[in-house]
Amino acid sequence: HHEAVMRLHESYTVIPMKFATIYTSKTNLEETLTNHYQEMDGLLSWLKGKEEWNLKIYCDNDSLRKRTAAHNLTIEEKKKELEHMSPGRQYLEKRKLDRLIDQELEKDKEQQSSSIHDQLVTYSVKTDIKKNWNKDVTGRTDEMCWNSVYLLENQEAEEFLGKVKQLQEEWKEAGFTLELTGPWPAYHFSKLK
C-alpha cells in the first residue's frame, strides 16, 4: 500500500487513503467520488506542490538527567539545603530531590523540543504534533520526546532540511537526536470530512 502511494506521489498529487480502504464495487467507488468531488478537488488543489516531513526527537534520559541536575537553579538550591541536614533527613530529602530532578527533566525535554519545533514551523504551511511512541514501538533504547509532522511547499524543503541539519548538530551534545523522514505524500493533512 505504502509503496503504491509513494510511486503515485512521485508523479501526481494524491489523497492517500487509509490502509485497507476497500470498495465493494466500482459503483460504490464512483458514488463516493461523486459525493465528495468538490471536497476532493479542493483538497487536491491545496496539496499540489506540497510534501510532508516527519520529525521525531529522541533523548538520552541519562545524559539529560545529569545535565538538568547540574544546570537547574531550583535543583542547585535544593542540593545546598541538603548540606546542612542530618543524615536521616538528607536521605528523605534526596529522594524528594530525585523526584524533582525527574520533573525538571520532563519540563526541559518539553521546552527544548518545543523550541526546535517552533523554529521549524516557520517553513511549513501546516504542522501537527503527534503522540509520542514508546520504546516497544520504536525499538530504540532512547526515549521519543517529540513527534511532529510538517507540510511544506516543495520549494521550502531544501531550506527546511538545512535547518534540521543545523539543529541536529546543535542538540546532539545535549543528548537529543533529531530523526527526519520524508518526503511523504500528505498523509496527515489530507483528511476528508
Side-chain angles (χ1 to χ4, degrees):
H1 173 81
H2 175 69
E3 292 302 319
V5 172
M6 288 300 291
R7 229 172 299 127
L8 286 168
H9 178 63
E10 290 172 9
S11 304
Y12 306 100
T13 302
V14 295
I15 299 174
M17 295 289 142
K18 290 184 180 176
F19 179 70
T21 300
I22 298 172
Y23 290 91
T24 54
S25 67
K26 184 177 176 185
T27 304
N28 188 266
L29 172 61
E30 289 170 346
E31 219 174 85
T32 300
L33 292 172
T34 302
N35 291 340
H36 297 282
Y37 177 80
Q38 295 286 41
E39 185 183 4
M40 286 181 173
D41 186 50
L43 188 54
L44 286 167
S45 294
W46 183 71
L47 290 173
K48 188 173 178 128
K50 296 178 180 78
E51 57 194 31
E52 180 177 306
W53 289 82
N54 181 269
L55 176 72
K56 290 176 175 53
I57 302 175
Y58 296 91
C59 60
D60 175 357
N61 273 347
D62 292 336
S63 296
L64 286 174
R65 193 172 201 285
K66 286 175 191 165
R67 184 172 165 256
T68 298
H71 300 292
N72 185 291
L73 295 176
T74 306
I75 293 168
E76 286 299 313
E77 288 173 18
K78 289 288 184 192
K79 284 180 182 176
K80 286 178 185 171
E81 288 175 20
L82 283 173
E83 294 171 6
H84 306 291
M85 295 179 183
S86 67
R89 177 81 182 181
Q90 278 185 0
Y91 174 78
L92 292 172
E93 292 301 319
K94 281 182 183 176
R95 295 195 59 171
K96 286 183 186 176
L97 179 62
D98 285 340
R99 285 193 299 274
L100 177 63
I101 292 170
D102 289 340
Q103 290 168 354
E104 293 298 314
L105 171 64
E106 290 306 314
K107 279 192 223 171
D108 283 352
K109 289 191 302 191
E110 177 68 27
Q111 287 173 346
Q112 305 309 338
S113 297
S114 184
S115 171
I116 291 167
H117 173 71
D118 290 345
Q119 293 177 64
L120 297 175
V121 164
T122 60
Y123 299 94
S124 63
V125 175
K126 197 165 183 182
T127 185
D128 195 13
I129 300 167
K130 310 305 286 178
K131 183 179 164 226
N132 292 336
W133 300 349
N134 64 35
K135 292 178 184 180
D136 294 339
V137 176
T138 65
R140 295 175 60 119
T141 56
D142 47 359
E143 179 185 321
M144 183 186 294
C145 56
W146 192 266
N147 184 5
S148 53
V149 288
Y150 304 87
L151 186 65
L152 308 175
E153 296 281 356
N154 290 351
Q155 67 268 18
E156 291 291 325
E158 193 171 320
E159 204 171 328
F160 177 80
L161 295 172
K163 184 64 176 178
V164 170
K165 189 171 186 168
Q166 174 197 337
L167 291 167
Q168 285 170 327
E169 289 303 312
E170 282 177 29
W171 290 96
K172 185 193 297 185
E173 199 171 303
F176 289 91
T177 302
L178 282 66
E179 182 181 272
L180 184 70
T181 59
W184 306 109
Y187 283 104
H188 293 91
F189 304 101
S190 59
K191 305 282 189 278
L192 294 171
K193 293 177 183 153

